[in-house]
Amino acid sequence: EPEVTQTPSHQVTQMGQEVILRCVPISNHLYFYWYRQILGQKVEFLVSFYNNEISEKSEIFDDQFSVERPDGSNFTLKIRSTKLEDSAMYFCASSPPRGRPLETQYFGPGTRLLVL
Amino acid sequence: EDQVTQSPEALRLQEGESSSLNCSYTVSGLRGLFWYRQDPGKGPEFLFTLYSAGEEKEKERLKATLTKKESFLHITAPKPEDSATYLCAVQIRNSQGGSEKLVFGKGTKLTVNP
């Protein structure tokens, strides 16, 4: 069964450093998302991406964040200058082409980011 | 503000003891409601999508129902392997016709003892 994959599974970085989190969405999916979950808190939406551009972003997704689909398979989240409060689990999700009123978002296993 | 509230926060059941989890929502316009299962340290695993009040979906020991203000996840004769956190999320209509984002509740942590 196709699934969303994410690398690395864990990342430890120093405050102020740049990190890139990588995702390989399900192959025929066209809509891509990043969410994050701070330990003990809700899963929170960061950004959605379609047709090589951001379609929606939350107020969390400020100028230090960026997303990119550098090739036909990868989808990345870059955090330019990490802060302590960026420590969280980051989930990538993807959903298939529109054809129904709603399309399910399928989530990857996550990258646990720890900023020291 | 759009809100999703799940109750209880935690639930302990004995194997075979049926129960229900609640997800209540106050949103400006609902496009759909999703149930996910999340195991510790893992990503949310899709269970159900519900689109309109009165709709029901079933999968093994789980049954999800939807009203205009809340959804229930009924667990019939649970087994220890059903232990997980169950997340409810809504997708919302907005002035542009629809939002892609899912708004999640905090989840209900279910523990099923053998």
Side-chain angles (χ1 to χ4, degrees):
Chain A
E1 186 175 325
E3 57 184 22
V4 177
T5 60
Q6 291 185 244
T7 55
S9 58
H10 294 78
Q11 173 106 39
V12 181
T13 191
Q14 295 292 323
M15 189 171 57
Q17 295 296 304
E18 175 182 288
V19 295
I20 298 176
L21 309 183
R22 292 182 167 80
C23 169
V24 178
I26 295 172
S27 63
N28 67 337
H29 287 189
L30 297 180
Y31 295 80
F32 313 114
Y33 313 85
W34 286 100
Y35 290 80
R36 78 174 186 189
Q37 186 176 29
I38 295 171
L39 190 62
Q41 297 189 24
K42 296 182 182 184
V43 176
E44 300 175 286
F45 170 79
L46 293 178
V47 66
S48 59
F49 190 87
Y50 170 70
N51 201 25
N52 280 320
E53 62 183 25
I54 291 173
S55 52
E56 188 174 2
K57 61 182 180 179
S58 72
E59 54 196 32
I60 302 169
F61 194 88
D62 61 22
D63 291 345
Q64 71 161 338
F65 291 93
S66 62
V67 290
E68 193 177 34
R69 187 155 163 82
D71 54 42
S73 58
N74 290 285
F75 180 50
T76 63
L77 174 68
K78 181 190 290 185
I79 309 175
R80 285 190 189 80
S81 178
T82 50
K83 305 172 188 171
L84 297 177
E85 54 265 36
D86 294 328
S87 295
M89 190 77 139
Y90 288 80
F91 295 110
C92 174
S94 68
S95 60
R98 293 292 182 264
R100 301 189 316 218
L102 284 174
E103 296 298 342
T104 298
Q105 294 179 27
Y106 294 90
F107 285 75
T111 292
R112 185 173 297 283
L113 176 65
L114 178 62
V115 182
L116 301 176
Chain B
E1 183 184 333
D2 299 315
Q3 285 201 352
V4 180
T5 304
Q6 292 189 246
S7 61
E9 291 185 9
L11 181 63
R12 282 187 178 274
L13 299 173
Q14 289 298 123
E15 185 172 1
E17 180 187 1
S18 302
S19 188
S20 296
L21 314 182
N22 177 262
C23 171
S24 62
Y25 57 91
T26 51
V27 299
S28 51
L30 182 72
R31 296 181 73 205
L33 185 141
F34 297 79
W35 282 98
Y36 287 86
R37 169 188 170 131
Q38 186 176 32
D39 292 300
K42 302 288 178 64
E45 176 188 343
F46 170 70
L47 294 173
F48 303 109
T49 309
L50 300 166
Y51 295 98
S52 56
E55 189 174 1
E56 298 183 352
K57 295 272 180 76
E58 280 190 72
K59 179 181 179 180
E60 297 180 356
R61 295 177 293 282
L62 300 176
K63 178 180 175 180
T65 61
L66 181 65
T67 72
K68 286 187 177 178
K69 294 194 173 179
E70 58 190 349
S71 177
F72 292 94
L73 185 65
H74 308 277
I75 303 177
T76 303
K79 298 182 178 181
E81 54 261 42
D82 295 321
S83 298
T85 296
Y86 290 85
L87 304 176
C88 170
V90 299
Q91 203 170 43
I92 299 164
R93 298 186 191 280
N94 61 17
S95 58
Q96 288 78 43
S99 169
E100 302 297 332
K101 71 178 181 183
L102 295 177
V103 178
F104 280 85
K106 288 193 75 172
T108 293
K109 183 177 180 180
L110 175 66
T111 304
V112 182
N113 296 314

